[in-house]
Amino acid sequence: MRNWKPMKALRPLAASIRSSHLVLFCSILMPHAQNQKLFGIIRKMGAKMEVGEHRYRGALKKEQGEAVRGAHEAITALQEQLEAQRRAHNVKMQAFIKECDSLKVLIAWAE
């Protein structure tokens, strides 16, 4: 058999907990009115939370959009800079090729 002594020790504690959370109502309408009041409070709190969440999501979406726009502008600027450098290097390469061809002609003519 089990030892039930610990359970007997918990009975006064359980009774005190029940009595401390016990609410007395004079009629059946009072708990109903209390429930209605609590439901109203819950609905209001839920609505406030939804509004707050909607604002948070909107702010987050706006912030992400600004970050994406900034990144796109930075990428576009770097692409333009890279293209300008490529064109400048092509011009220099063409100049070096012309100079090399001119020197080859001079060497061939001198021989």
Side-chain angles (χ1 to χ4, degrees):
M1 284 219 137
R2 289 184 168 168
N3 186 358
W4 292 101
K5 287 184 183 180
M7 293 297 280
K8 287 182 181 179
L10 293 177
R11 283 185 186 163
L13 177 63
S16 70
I17 291 173
R18 272 184 293 197
S19 64
S20 67
H21 293 290
L22 185 63
V23 178
L24 298 176
F25 293 103
C26 295
S27 71
I28 192 72
L29 295 176
M30 290 180 72
H32 179 70
Q34 182 70 16
N35 281 344
Q36 293 300 321
K37 180 181 174 183
L38 292 173
F39 283 141
I41 291 170
I42 289 170
R43 285 187 198 107
K44 286 178 185 177
M45 289 176 68
K48 284 181 182 179
M49 286 179 65
E50 285 182 20
V51 167
E53 185 176 341
H54 181 71
R55 286 180 183 164
Y56 173 76
R57 285 185 183 181
L60 184 63
K61 190 174 183 180
K62 181 181 177 184
E63 186 177 313
Q64 287 175 344
E66 290 172 358
V68 168
R69 254 190 313 281
H72 183 266
E73 289 172 2
I75 289 170
T76 303
L78 288 172
Q79 284 176 334
E80 290 171 357
Q81 184 181 7
L82 186 61
E83 184 62 27
Q85 287 178 351
R86 188 186 64 77
R87 283 192 301 267
H89 284 85
N90 281 343
V91 168
K92 285 182 184 179
M93 285 295 292
Q94 292 300 322
F96 287 141
I97 290 170
K98 279 185 179 181
E99 186 177 349
C100 184
D101 290 342
S102 298
L103 291 174
K104 283 182 185 177
V105 169
L106 283 175
I107 291 172
W109 183 74
E111 292 178 348

